Each structure stands twice: as C-alpha cells, then as structure tokens.
Amino acid sequence: LRTLTIIDRAVRVINAARIAAGATPVDIRQLPLDDPATFALLQACKTTAVFQLESSGMRDLMRRLQPDSFGDIVALVALFRPGPLQSGMVDDFINRKHADASQPIDYLHPDLEPVLRETYGVILYQEQVMQIAQRLAGYSLGEADLLRRAMGKKKPEEMAKQRAGFTDRAAERGTERARATWIFDLMEKFAGYGFNKSHSAAYALLAYQTAWLKANHPAAFMAAVMTTEMDNTDTLVVQKRECAALAIELLPPDVNVSMHAFTVEDDNRIRYGLGAIKGVGQGAAEHIVAQRNESGTYRSLQDFCRRVGGQRLGRRPVEALIKAGALDALGPNRPSLLAELPRAMDAADQAAAADRAGQEDMFGAPASQPAAAHSVPELADWGLGRKLQAERESLGLY
C-alpha cells in the first residue's frame, strides 16, 4: 500500500506539470516495459527506494544478473529467497543467462523448451511444474495443481504414488521411462523452491513502475518517497543522501513556500515539507498553508504568530519551525527570532482575546486585522555548529 501511495503521489505531480505544459499525461498502467533508462538504472543498481529491489543482497544479485527485460525482473523477485540462493539455482540461472560455456542451457526434453525458455532451463516457478506435467504427461491443470501441492508437502508415500503415475503417463506419450522419472525428481526438488509466478509478476510490475519513475522523473519520485517517510528520520537521512546522488537539491522548509508534504520546485529541486519538522503535525502544517493561501505570505514573525498561533500552533512548534529555518525570511537570524518569539506569541494571544471580546483598537479598525510588519531586534547569529545542532533537533538531520 505504501508503494501504491508513492506511485500515485508521484504521478499526480508529474501529470499536473505535464497538463500545464500541454503534454500528454502519464498513464502508469500503460508504461512500455522496455524503457532503456529504467534498465540502465537497474543494471547500475541505483535502486534506493525502488520496490523490492533496494536491499544490499538484491543489489548484489542484480549486479550479477544485469536484468534487461521485464521477465528478468520477475525472475529476480522469485530468485531472491533463501531456497534458490542456497540451492545453486541462482548461479545456474545467471550463468545460463550470460551464456557461460560451463553451464549450457538444458530444457530437459524437447517438448519443454517453451515452458523453460524464459528461465534458461531452470524450474523456477510453481506454474512451470504444472506446465511440465501438462505437456509431458497429459495432466489437466487441475491434476497438475494437485501434483504441485503434493510436491510441496513432501510425503514419501504420496510422492511414490505420484512418481509412478507421472512416469506411466509420460511413457504412454512417448517419453522414455528413465527420463520421465529423472524429470519428475527434478520437479520434486525444485517444487520446494518454486515461487508463484503470478505473485512474482505483480511485485515485478510495481518494482518496474517505481524504477521507471525514478529513472524518468526523479524529483517527483523522491518527493513522494520522502513524504511517505515523514515520521521516519533515519529513512529520511538515506533519502536525502540519495537526492544528492541524483543531483537533486533539497531546499529547507519555508512557511511562505512549503506545503505539508515534500514538493517539487523544478526538475532538480525538492522543497522540504512542513510536516516533517518535529512537533509540527499535519493539522498545524495544513493550517499554516491554508492561512497563507487565504491572506497571502507571512510578512513578519508577529504576523505569522497572529495568524496561526494560539490553540492551533503553540510556542514549541514555532520554536521547531525557527530552528529548522522555516522562518528565516521573517527575521535577521534564528536566535533573534527565538528571542522575539515570547513577545510575538503574547501579542497574538492578546489580539485573539480582543477578537473574542469584539473589541476595536483606538483607530476603529477590527482587532482581527492582519498585523503590520514588525522588525525583530537583531542578536548575534549562531555559529555553524549551533545552527546544525538546532536543525538536527527539529528535523532529525542537518
């Protein structure tokens, strides 16, 4: 579900920009499955945040396999499990794909080439076990499924019965009994490692879609990923590093620009989301954005506190916003803003109380009128170390 959310968010951002530019929207369900940029990304193992393909073990497998087709991605998902990794199946698959002379492709029987061609003669999927029984011994798909299940349970008496039945039926259709028994034993061995191909294909499609988004629209993809990880600082640190590797600049939060989520400013820049600042929840972030949309940009610290302070946004969240740099445009520096904050919050509380009492000021203007810009007394700025420490307190990273 998290992956589907990432895909949906990224596609919405991409299509909003494409529609504004008069271009055709992206239909994520109709992507070409042979995109060169996507396979270049996979072969380079640049798969941080790509569904199913980002672990170090999977990257090692991709580095060896060098996937160049959608079928290879399906196989990757099925191969990256303890059984295939420990059985030697993975080595056989990779060597055969790369035409290693020491590991020639063997389809076991001429009739089985259509079944085993895509996996280079390796019995990788449960569906292949069923197809072998169907093609070689004339099983119906229902009978083949019962055979597959029996192989999974590995009961000796049941398997002896199944082996005899398979061998007899294959012999009746022209296969030598010894070869039929040998093929059955291979099926039985690999049935324990076999993966459900339909499951693997569904996972592979999501892996391909996320890889395609990262390869072709990296800023939109990374912004969507970071938005889903807002509450996980450790993961955000990894994604921030990945943005740098992709030459995407991560801009600091700003109450006059940022939204609740991470947003794309252009192809190479992402703006930090207000919701990722510690102590500033979704409701507070959306309140800041709504007030900005309703009454324009915030002109000063006093204006900001007057419009969003009180019950919706207490002093602690505003302190976090200042430490994160989100109010840098409203004062000379962060220590000056923090020093002025108590007075600005008190003034906001007084104005709110006046609003509730229905009072007007001495000039007859309603008390709810936006506060005028007010200069903040300038204090000496922090050194870099203190500034970084404050950013880490409020963002969890520098």
Side-chain angles (χ1 to χ4, degrees), residues 302-314:
Q302 291 75 15
D303 180 41
F304 178 79
C305 292
R306 173 69 184 82
R307 288 161 60 184
V308 304
Q311 294 182 341
R312 299 297 296 273
L313 198 69

Side-chain angles (χ1 to χ4, degrees), residues 26-43:
V26 167
D27 184 349
I28 199 70
R29 298 164 299 179
Q30 300 296 328
L31 295 180
L33 295 178
D34 57 357
D35 178 55
T38 301
F39 284 102
L41 180 140
L42 295 178
Q43 290 171 3

Side-chain angles (χ1 to χ4, degrees), residues 111-160:
D111 290 348
L112 299 183
E113 181 176 350
V115 175
L116 299 176
R117 185 186 301 119
E118 67 172 335
T119 54
Y120 311 104
V122 174
I123 303 172
L124 178 59
Y125 305 117
Q126 293 177 1
E127 288 88 342
Q128 288 175 315
V129 171
M130 295 169 62
Q131 288 176 298
I132 291 170
Q134 188 184 23
R135 279 182 169 266
L136 217 58
Y139 280 50
S140 69
L141 282 175
E143 290 174 319
D145 192 43
L146 292 174
L147 174 62
R148 176 192 64 80
R149 284 192 238 176
M151 286 180 166
K153 292 178 181 176
K154 298 185 181 298
K155 292 182 179 179
E157 292 181 7
E158 176 66 19
M159 290 316 299

Side-chain angles (χ1 to χ4, degrees), residues 315-346:
R315 186 172 300 183
R316 287 288 181 85
V318 181
E319 286 179 356
L321 287 164
I322 293 171
K323 290 179 178 179
L327 272 68
D328 281 0
L330 306 186
N333 54 45
R334 296 173 195 180
S336 301
L337 288 166
L338 283 174
E340 182 68 12
L341 180 59
R343 190 167 66 167
M345 293 295 283
D346 288 343

